[in-house]
Amino acid sequence: MARILAHRHDGLLGAWPKCCALALAVSASALSGCAWLSDKERALVLRPSPGRPAAFEAEDAGLRPGDQRYVLNVPAMQTTANDTSAEDRLAVWWLPHPNPQAPTLLYLHGTLRNLYENLPKIEAVRDAGYAVLAVDYRGWGDSSPIIPSEASIDADAARAWAELVKRQPDPSQRVIFGHSMGGAVAVSLASQLRRGVDYGGLVLEATFTRMPDVAASAGTLGRIGAAITSLKFESINKISRVDAPTLILHGDADKLVPVDLGRRLRDAAQPGVCWVEIAGGSHSGLHREAAERYKQSLQGLVSVLPPRFSGPEARPWPAGVCSAISTAPQANAVKS
């Protein structure tokens, strides 16, 4: 199926010069409260991609037997005074694993690519030993085509998490996964949950400290954008509240989210995070560029989850999985 997916360049950094130019053009007018400017910024940076590629026009395209794509009705983000009952569509995919005892993972994607274009990575995750519940935030895929916001994305992740909880009764076997921007969403969600009571583990791939830091890494225009953007997606001050086993993967050749941002996020986490740094790895291609190591890392997390219904105590990471284990005291965590 991967061969029928057209290549699309990631939008996280490529959008920043455009966003900065827009902001500079109007900054003298003090338009910080202008809804039009806010919409433009969110559209340029988040790069929502509604609809489905032509290759997936058939309803069963890309699905295995037993897979499901369906839509949840959620309260609309924008309603009028006369209509508070409006609803939006939230598209979710349920992709069970052949092993009914497999842990269940919530898949949270990044900017630009919707779930259809994320299918190769999703399948790599499933092949590593997980059932997957994936969500297209509103603005992407088959969900309502709104201009998304940080609030709408977080709300959609929370609704998808509630759906996963229905599918997986054992909290220790629930895992949250986020790639790029989706990693920030995953950290925000996990920071509100408790290990063993609500979930069992967290996986972050090519994730950043906070979105303004990503902008600043893009050069002079990016630093200007970092100073004025309303988009935060701030993980650096939330990850220390994540108390479950955490796996962080990052490529050292990532041109969109520099690996240094991933390292800083690692160092701000609680001791014991498993860090996997892949030499030559890009922003979105780790699952194919280092397929075996990618799979082994995800399987390593499976192995440290507590046995089913056995309580919250995690087991040690298997030897050889982690490049380095963060042991820095939380008080020394890097903040930004």
Side-chain angles (χ1 to χ4, degrees):
M1 181 58 66
R3 64 183 176 81
I4 65 176
L5 292 174
H7 175 73
R8 296 177 67 184
H9 189 68
D10 296 82
L12 191 59
L13 286 186
W16 278 107
K18 296 178 183 178
C19 183
C20 295
L22 171 69
L24 286 171
V26 298
S27 59
S29 300
L31 288 173
S32 59
C34 176
W36 176 86
L37 176 59
S38 176
D39 287 351
K40 280 292 185 180
E41 178 194 15
R42 288 184 281 117
L44 284 168
V45 176
L46 300 178
R47 304 286 294 278
S49 53
R52 63 178 69 181
F56 292 93
E57 287 181 357
E59 284 299 319
D60 60 349
L63 298 180
R64 302 182 190 180
D67 292 354
Q68 301 174 38
R69 294 191 185 113
Y70 57 100
V71 172
L72 302 173
N73 293 324
V74 298
M77 291 298 293
Q78 298 176 341
T79 58
T80 66
N82 296 324
D83 181 12
T84 59
S85 62
E87 291 184 322
D88 286 338
R89 304 185 310 276
L90 183 66
V92 296
W93 295 9
W94 169 239
L95 310 175
H97 192 271
N99 176 7
Q101 303 301 309
T104 305
L105 177 146
L106 176 64
Y107 186 94
L108 300 170
H109 65 72
T111 61
L112 186 62
R113 295 185 177 95
N114 60 34
L115 289 181
Y116 292 101
E117 295 158 309
N118 272 266
L119 186 57
K121 188 179 293 291
I122 293 171
E123 291 292 11
V125 170
R126 181 155 57 160
D127 288 343
Y130 297 86
V132 177
L133 190 136
V135 59
D136 255 331
Y137 325 109
R138 281 169 288 181
W140 283 264
D142 296 326
S143 295
S144 293
I146 69 169
I147 297 175
S149 65
E150 189 168 355
S152 73
I153 291 170
D154 282 342
D156 294 344
R159 180 63 184 88
W161 178 251
E163 189 72 6
L164 181 144
V165 168
K166 295 178 184 177
R167 299 275 186 177
Q168 175 54 262
D170 184 356
S172 68
Q173 300 298 302
R174 300 170 187 156
V175 175
I176 306 171
F177 173 103
H179 173 253
S180 191
M181 178 202 72
V185 181
V187 170
S188 182
L189 176 61
S191 71
Q192 303 171 61
L193 304 175
R194 289 188 295 164
R195 172 174 60 94
V197 176
D198 302 305
Y199 77 125
L202 173 67
V203 182
L204 305 176
E205 181 181 343
T207 301
F208 46 82
T209 48
R210 48 198 291 274
M211 190 167 276
D213 294 341
V214 182
S217 71
T220 301
L221 283 178
R223 287 190 291 273
I224 296 171
I228 61 178
T229 181
S230 63
L231 294 167
K232 302 302 182 185
F233 288 96
E234 190 160 355
S235 298
I236 191 75
N237 292 322
K238 296 178 182 178
I239 197 167
S240 63
R241 299 198 294 271
V242 173
D243 61 356
T246 299
L247 168 66
I248 305 181
L249 304 104
H250 215 118
D252 69 3
D254 190 330
K255 296 180 180 179
L256 298 174
V257 177
V259 67
D260 180 61
L261 297 184
R263 293 172 185 154
R264 289 170 57 194
L265 190 63
R266 171 201 66 193
D267 293 341
Q270 291 193 15
V273 63
C274 180
W275 170 256
V276 178
E277 186 171 315
I278 296 176
S282 68
H283 184 66
S284 295
L286 300 184
H287 61 284
R288 62 175 185 273
E289 295 160 353
E292 190 58 31
R293 191 169 184 203
Y294 191 86
K295 183 175 184 179
Q296 289 175 352
S297 300
L298 290 165
Q299 290 174 335
L301 179 61
V302 173
S303 73
V304 305
L305 297 175
R308 295 181 66 83
F309 299 105
S310 66
E313 293 304 318
R315 295 175 284 189
W317 290 95
V321 170
C322 308
S323 312
I325 295 285
S326 172
T327 56
Q330 184 175 328
N332 294 334
V334 176
K335 299 296 182 182
S336 177

